Amino acid sequence: MSSITISLIQPDDNQTIAYIVRSVLTDFGLNRPGTAFADTALDHLSEIYNVPRSVYYVARVDGEIAGGAGIYPLEGGPAHICELQKMYLLPAFRGKGIARTIIENCLDFARKENYTHCYLETMPELVQAVKLYEYFGFYHLDGPLGNTGHFTCINWMLKEL
C-alpha cells in the first residue's frame, strides 16, 4: 500500500511542481499563452502562495511528488471569492483519490479563511478534471470572474462554500 502525504509547498518543490503543470498541459496540447503554462509565477510558487489567505498543497506518494493545487484570493475579484489554482497530477497518480484529497484540503482551507465561494477556470480538454469539479459541487458559469489572465480557459466554475 502506498503512503500518501499532503503538505505545504516548500522552495525545493517549485521546480517539480512547475514541471508537472507544464508536462500535463503539454500532454493535452494546452502548452500555450492564456493557460497556467505561461504563468511566470509557476517557477516560484512557494513564494507566490506565501501570502495571507493563500496556500499551495503538494501531494506525495511514497515520497515522490505526484502533483498539487492551491487556493489564492481571486485576482480582480471580491475578497470573499478565492480561486482553486494549478490543480495538476502526473498521469501515474490519477484515479487513486489523490486529487480529491488535495481539493478537500484546499476547500477546507478556504472555509477557514472565510471565503464564501471558490472559483476555478479550466478547459474542455480536461474532461476528467471537469467531472471531478462537478462532483465537488462546482457549477458552470456563463463567463469569467476576476482577472486571472487565463484567456484560453473557457470553462468557468464556482462553488458556494
Side-chain angles (χ1 to χ4, degrees), residues 88-128:
Y88 294 93
L89 282 179
L90 288 170
F93 300 106
R94 294 182 195 147
K96 302 177 186 320
I98 298 168
R100 276 196 319 270
T101 301
I102 297 170
I103 292 172
E104 286 168 354
N105 277 267
C106 285
L107 295 176
D108 286 345
F109 174 85
R111 287 182 193 98
K112 288 176 187 166
E113 291 296 321
N114 296 314
Y115 289 110
T116 62
H117 292 80
C118 186
Y119 172 75
L120 66 83
E121 296 177 333
T122 189
M123 290 144 291
E125 292 89 342
L126 303 175
V127 174
Q128 290 304 113

Side-chain angles (χ1 to χ4, degrees), residues 10-138:
Q10 299 300 311
D12 289 348
D13 302 330
N14 287 339
Q15 185 177 4
T16 303
I17 292 294
Y19 166 79
I20 290 170
V21 172
R22 290 185 177 117
S23 171
V24 169
L25 288 170
T26 298
D27 288 348
F28 284 92
L30 300 170
N31 50 334
R32 58 184 183 244
T35 70
F37 186 89
D39 287 356
T40 57
L42 202 51
D43 295 305
H44 50 278
L45 291 181
S46 65
E47 295 168 33
I48 299 300
Y49 287 90
N50 191 20
V51 297
R53 301 185 79 207
S54 69
V55 69
Y56 194 91
Y57 292 112
V58 174
R60 288 181 172 77
V61 176
D62 296 331
E64 180 183 352
I65 295 178
I71 290 289
Y72 201 83
L74 178 60
E75 193 75 36
H80 66 276
I81 300 179
C82 64
E83 183 181 9
L84 178 66
Q85 298 181 335
K86 295 171 183 57
M87 171 66 231
Y88 294 93
L89 282 179
L90 288 170
F93 300 106
R94 294 182 195 147
K96 302 177 186 320
I98 298 168
R100 276 196 319 270
T101 301
I102 297 170
I103 292 172
E104 286 168 354
N105 277 267
C106 285
L107 295 176
D108 286 345
F109 174 85
R111 287 182 193 98
K112 288 176 187 166
E113 291 296 321
N114 296 314
Y115 289 110
T116 62
H117 292 80
C118 186
Y119 172 75
L120 66 83
E121 296 177 333
T122 189
M123 290 144 291
E125 292 89 342
L126 303 175
V127 174
Q128 290 304 113
V130 172
K131 287 180 183 178
L132 180 61
Y133 300 140
E134 290 170 344
Y135 166 82
F136 272 98
F138 283 88

